[in-house]
Each structure stands twice: as C-alpha cells, then as structure tokens.
Amino acid sequence: MDNAMFCYQCEQTMGGKGCTKMGVCGKTPEVANLQDLLIYQLKGIACYAKPLIDKGELIDKTIVEFVENSLFTTLTNVNFDVEVHIQLLKDSQKIKEALRSKAPKGDYPEEAKYNLSATKQQMLEDAVKAGLMYDKDLNPDIRSLRHTILYGLKGISAYGHQARFINFYSDQVDQFYFRALEAITNDDVGVEELIRWTLRTGEIALEVMRVLDNANTTRYSHPTPHNVNVNIKKGPFIIVSGHDLRDLEMLLEQTDGKGINIYTHGEMLPSHGYEKLKKYKHLVGNYGSAWQNQQKEFDNIPGCILMTTNCLMKPRESYKDRIFSTGVVGWDGVIHIGRDENGYKDFSPVIEKALELGGFKEDEEEKEIMVGFAHKATLSHADKIVSAVKNGDIRHFFVIGGCDGARPGRNYYTKFAEQVPKDCIILTLACGKYRFNKLEFGEVCGLPRLLDVGQCNDVYSAVKIATSLADAFDTDVNSLPLSIVLSWYEQKAVADLLALLSVGVKNMYLGPSLPAFLSPNVLQYLVDTFGLKPISTPEEDLKSCLQQIV
C-alpha cells in the first residue's frame, strides 16, 4: 500500500500517463491515497445532499465550505500534510452521517454507504477502492469524462475558496459541487449526459470567476495599469506567493511601519494593479518568477515566504525554517498560520522571523514591468482598439497564458510571444506569463503590446474583453482576429479551458501536452466540436493563427 498510487491530474504526470510511485509534484503515495479517499467521501456526502437540494433545501454553508476546501486541498501542489488529510477525513464522516440522517431512504452508492475506518492504516487500506482506476471494467470514456468534471470542480473550488474568504459566494456554484459530484458517482449517467455535465462545469467555472472578480474589485477596486519593480531592495522582507489577496492585505496591514518590505511572487503579481493594495508603500515589488523555480529562488533566502494558496513545492532545508503556509496549503513541518472565527490571521511569527533574518543587504537597480490590464482597464480603450483594427493598424490579438511548469517544451510560449508581429497585441494571464513578461514588446497605436490581464481566474476578464469587442464589431468571438494559446499544468487550467469551451470558443491551442485523463474518444469530441488543437511549433501555429479570416 505504501508504494502504490495513481494520479494523472496534472500536465507533468509521469511519462504523460500517471504517477504510480511518487508524484512529480512531491506527493507521496500515502497522501495520494488519502486524497483519493477524501474525494470518495465527498462523493458520498453529495449523494445524500443532492436529494435534499432537489427538495428545495439549502445545504448549510459550513458544509459547502468544507467540500470546497477539501476539493481545493487535493488540487496539485496545495497540501502534502498527512495529518491534515486525516482530520479532513474524520470531519467528512461526521458531515456524511449528519446528511445521511436527513436524506430520504433509498439505495445509495457505495461511496455514500461507506463509513470511515478508525485508524490511518485502515483508511489507507480502504483507499484502494477509492482509486481512480479501481473499476477496471468502467467504460474509458465515462471514466475520462468523470475525471474531467472532477478536475474542473477542483479548479472551481480554488476560485470559490478565494471569494468566500472575503464573504462572496454563489448559491448556484455551491449547489453545483453536490450535483456534479453525485453525477460522477451515478452509474445511470451515461456518456452523452456526462458531456453535458462537462460543459455545465465550464459554465459554473465562469460563474465562480465572475463572483471572484466581483469580490476582488468590490474590496480592492478595479485594477489599473501600474509599473512593478522586479528587482530587490535593501532590508527585511516577506515574499507572498499564491493568489489570495485578503492574505496579502492582512499582512500589509500588520507590517505597516515595521520596516519590512513585501514582495509578491508567482500569481500574486497582479495584486500590484489594485489601488487599495498599492497604497501600502512597503509593497515594493515582485520577487522571482513562476512557481516551479521556487526551490532555487528561495534557497538560503534571508527573509520569509508566505504561501497563501497553490503552488507549493517541497521546501529545501535551506529555507524550511522561514517558509510559512496559510489557508488550505500545508507541508509536514512547515509552520501553518490559521484563522480565527472572524477570518483574521495573526502573522506575527512570519514578521518576527523576517526581522530576525535581516533581509537583503543592498538595493538592485530597479527594473519594471506593467500589470493591471483586467477587463475594465483594457475596455476603457475599446474605441481606440476597434478603430485601430478597422484601420488595419492592429492586425490580431493573441491570448497567451495559463499555468507554467518545468516540463521541457514550455519555451514554445516564449518563442511564440517573441515572434508575434509588432502590429499585434498579446493578452496574458496566470503564471505562464513569466515565460516572456520581462521582455520588451513596445507599443502599438499607443497601447502596450503586452497586456497583463491578471491571475488564472482572470480568464473571466479575457472572456469579457473578447465578448465586448465582438459586440463592438457586431460579430461573435470566433470571428474576431483573436487566437488563444493556452499552457496548462493543474486543475484550475482545466476549469479555465472548460469555461472557454462553455461559451463556444473554438480553435484554441493547448499544450505543452494534452491531458492524460482525456480518452481518445473524448479528445476527438473536443477536436470535432471545438477545433481544439495541440500545439506544434511556434512558427506553424503562428502562421495558422494569422491566416484566420475575420
């Protein structure tokens, strides 16, 4: 049992087929199997919750939050702590029993009837039947669609978690967790219906991104273009990684006036576009690059790191004493900062450690990049953009972004961006931007040629920009001079892709490799229905994009 696992939810899965001995992400078989069992428990909870929802009952928000956070915990590079998973499993059993007592009598699936065993060893033994490939006779297309929906749900849960932390949520999204989990457990749901559920998952992904956009822009105002220093400054410091703006805000409040510099890292970079965060003068810049370089970039660093969401990698001993986790993030032996009943987090241990370490000894010469081109900022130039396109001054738009990763071949995205003609505009988002966001792209028609739209959830912004431009041209998104070139790594990218498919976006390019959980038939359906294409070479794909007829 200790040496057996199967996981293929991320792009870097071993051999492009599945991790079976140890996760490429650093996940052990023990954690992998406990996560499988946790998902099994969530399915059981959903089987009891769905009939209650069908009767018009609202599931208690504490249960919704538990399901959401549990899904998020199992997303790639989030939590590797065995004891956290044991506690989640114990809590899941209590929730299941409570719902079981309220649900109508009936013949429920094994996931619902199962009762959690008492010890970790017994849980691990039980986890065998929760494995992704346990049912050897399951139709591979049904397995593929079920897992696609599940991974979309994991992405949705990450965005829902962020929004809920600042008290924004959607009843539609909350109910969908249970309805979708029940659907992928129900043997009466066949291929055609699962396809509909898959596209519905995309619709819900777009809805939760809308909620998160509303949450962030209501609390922090709409992003506006700002220059961000990407070099270091003298003095004690804390690097904040992940996505959760509320964590960053609380840390900025608690460090104000203490002589500590705050740097963003990874997907926290777009926070510099928000006026209500930028007002803190000790938010001095962005440190490093994408998540997969953290072990090298954090090595022996004379300051602290706070991981607020994914993506966490195994900390090296050279900085394990100065990296902290919060939210659902965790690693065995890493200090975790919890929250009180009001959502407040006391970051004193991080602050004290940063002061103790002393920080950087001298300034580097400043180098700046620009962020803040979410939908409101970009669409404020809509008239200029439409006029430039009609006049032939702007030829084409490219959305180049998504998750970055360490697999060879991701330099495709750098080369593609470099080769985009100078009369074209690039919109980028998520950590895939680090492949090229420090390069000089110049301007076209008075606009920067590289527009940083934001985090991975800001696919919502990209969709809003595209649909607004389509309206301005009295056409549809697929008739715009627009091409979408996506890189994917984990399950938020799955949710993003499904969101784009749900609004009918066609002819997207996806790489650096295709998901291992897509069966040949499911992949063919996506190719036939949506024109989904695997990337080839930058030269060939760029030529194909520019031949698109407007």
Side-chain angles (χ1 to χ4, degrees), residues 432-445:
K433 74 181 112 215
Y434 282 103
R435 290 281 165 175
F436 47 81
N437 69 340
K438 293 178 184 177
L439 303 177
E440 295 294 335
F441 286 93
E443 295 185 347
V444 58
C445 299

Side-chain angles (χ1 to χ4, degrees), residues 78-79 81 305-309 312 323-331 334-338 345 347 350:
V78 173
N79 197 297
D81 192 321
I305 309 107
L306 176 65
M307 301 296 298
T308 66
T309 53
L312 172 67
I323 188 169
F324 298 79
S325 64
T326 191
V328 301
V329 186
W331 192 285
V334 167
I335 296 174
H336 186 81
I337 307 296
K345 299 180 181 181
F347 291 116
V350 192

Side-chain angles (χ1 to χ4, degrees), residues 306-371:
L306 176 65
M307 301 296 298
T308 66
T309 53
N310 60 313
C311 300
L312 172 67
M313 297 176 72
K314 180 180 181 180
R316 291 180 178 175
E317 290 303 317
S318 64
Y319 63 87
K320 194 172 182 180
D321 67 333
R322 59 201 66 180
I323 188 169
F324 298 79
S325 64
T326 191
V328 301
V329 186
W331 192 285
D332 181 45
V334 167
I335 296 174
H336 186 81
I337 307 296
R339 53 181 282 188
D340 66 17
E341 64 275 9
N342 298 313
Y344 180 79
K345 299 180 181 181
D346 182 357
F347 291 116
S348 297
V350 192
I351 294 168
E352 292 165 7
K353 187 68 175 179
L355 290 170
E356 174 194 325
L357 290 166
F360 296 120
K361 300 301 182 187
E362 56 186 39
D363 292 341
E364 289 181 342
E365 182 179 351
E366 288 198 4
K367 174 180 172 60
E368 293 184 328
I369 59 176
M370 187 174 284
V371 301

Side-chain angles (χ1 to χ4, degrees), residues 232 237-239 263 287-288 294-305 318-319 321-323 357 359-360:
I232 61 173
F237 66 91
I238 300 169
I239 296 166
Y263 298 89
Y287 180 85
Q294 66 189 257
Q295 290 173 321
K296 178 174 135 183
E297 292 176 348
F298 296 164
D299 192 33
N300 282 310
I301 202 166
C304 291
I305 309 107
S318 64
Y319 63 87
D321 67 333
R322 59 201 66 180
I323 188 169
L357 290 166
F360 296 120

Side-chain angles (χ1 to χ4, degrees), residues 173-201:
V173 175
D174 291 354
Q175 290 187 9
F176 188 77
Y177 289 131
F178 302 102
R179 291 189 182 278
L181 283 166
E182 191 277 337
I184 63 174
T185 310
N186 191 333
D187 288 335
D188 292 332
V189 179
V191 170
E192 289 188 8
E193 195 171 349
L194 282 170
I195 288 172
R196 289 192 290 272
W197 275 104
T198 302
L199 295 178
R200 181 66 176 146
T201 303

Side-chain angles (χ1 to χ4, degrees), residues 262-524:
I262 304 297
Y263 298 89
T264 56
H265 173 266
E267 284 240 55
M268 200 63 86
L269 169 63
S271 60
H272 291 270
Y274 293 91
E275 291 287 352
K276 292 186 179 178
L277 296 174
K278 195 67 175 174
K279 71 178 182 180
Y280 293 95
K281 300 306 178 187
H282 61 301
L283 179 60
V284 297
N286 189 73
Y287 180 85
S289 53
W291 67 273
Q292 75 274 6
N293 301 318
Q294 66 189 257
Q295 290 173 321
K296 178 174 135 183
E297 292 176 348
F298 296 164
D299 192 33
N300 282 310
I301 202 166
C304 291
I305 309 107
L306 176 65
M307 301 296 298
T308 66
T309 53
N310 60 313
C311 300
L312 172 67
M313 297 176 72
K314 180 180 181 180
R316 291 180 178 175
E317 290 303 317
S318 64
Y319 63 87
K320 194 172 182 180
D321 67 333
R322 59 201 66 180
I323 188 169
F324 298 79
S325 64
T326 191
V328 301
V329 186
W331 192 285
D332 181 45
V334 167
I335 296 174
H336 186 81
I337 307 296
R339 53 181 282 188
D340 66 17
E341 64 275 9
N342 298 313
Y344 180 79
K345 299 180 181 181
D346 182 357
F347 291 116
S348 297
V350 192
I351 294 168
E352 292 165 7
K353 187 68 175 179
L355 290 170
E356 174 194 325
L357 290 166
F360 296 120
K361 300 301 182 187
E362 56 186 39
D363 292 341
E364 289 181 342
E365 182 179 351
E366 288 198 4
K367 174 180 172 60
E368 293 184 328
I369 59 176
M370 187 174 284
V371 301
F373 286 96
H375 57 89
K376 186 172 183 180
T378 300
L379 291 173
S380 68
H381 301 286
D383 290 344
K384 180 190 290 188
I385 291 170
V386 171
S387 176
V389 172
K390 288 181 177 178
N391 294 336
D393 296 323
I394 295 178
R395 187 182 0 166
H396 206 85
F397 298 89
F398 293 89
V399 177
I400 311 174
C403 307
D404 203 2
R407 183 189 289 274
R410 286 183 177 267
N411 59 345
Y412 164 96
Y413 297 94
T414 311
K415 292 178 180 177
F416 191 104
E418 288 175 326
Q419 293 176 35
V420 167
K422 296 190 183 302
D423 58 355
C424 300
I425 286 178
I426 300 170
L427 293 90
T428 191
L429 50 83
C431 58
K433 74 181 112 215
Y434 282 103
R435 290 281 165 175
F436 47 81
N437 69 340
K438 293 178 184 177
L439 303 177
E440 295 294 335
F441 286 93
E443 295 185 347
V444 58
C445 299
L447 292 170
R449 287 187 57 237
L450 181 67
L451 304 179
D452 187 338
V453 176
Q455 296 181 339
C456 44
N457 52 279
D458 289 306
V459 160
Y460 173 76
S461 267
V463 168
K464 196 154 187 178
I465 292 166
T467 53
S468 296
L469 290 177
D471 289 344
F473 284 108
D474 194 24
T475 187
D476 62 88
V477 170
N478 293 311
S479 298
L480 287 172
L482 170 71
S483 299
I484 299 178
V485 185
L486 298 177
S487 56
W488 85 281
Y489 174 73
E490 39 86 330
Q491 296 82 68
K492 284 186 286 183
V494 176
D496 293 350
L497 175 62
L498 295 181
L500 291 166
L501 295 177
S502 76
V503 294
V505 176
K506 295 185 176 181
N507 301 317
M508 290 183 284
Y509 293 81
L510 181 65
S513 62
L514 296 177
F517 53 82
L518 292 181
S519 68
N521 287 336
V522 171
L523 178 58
Q524 194 60 50

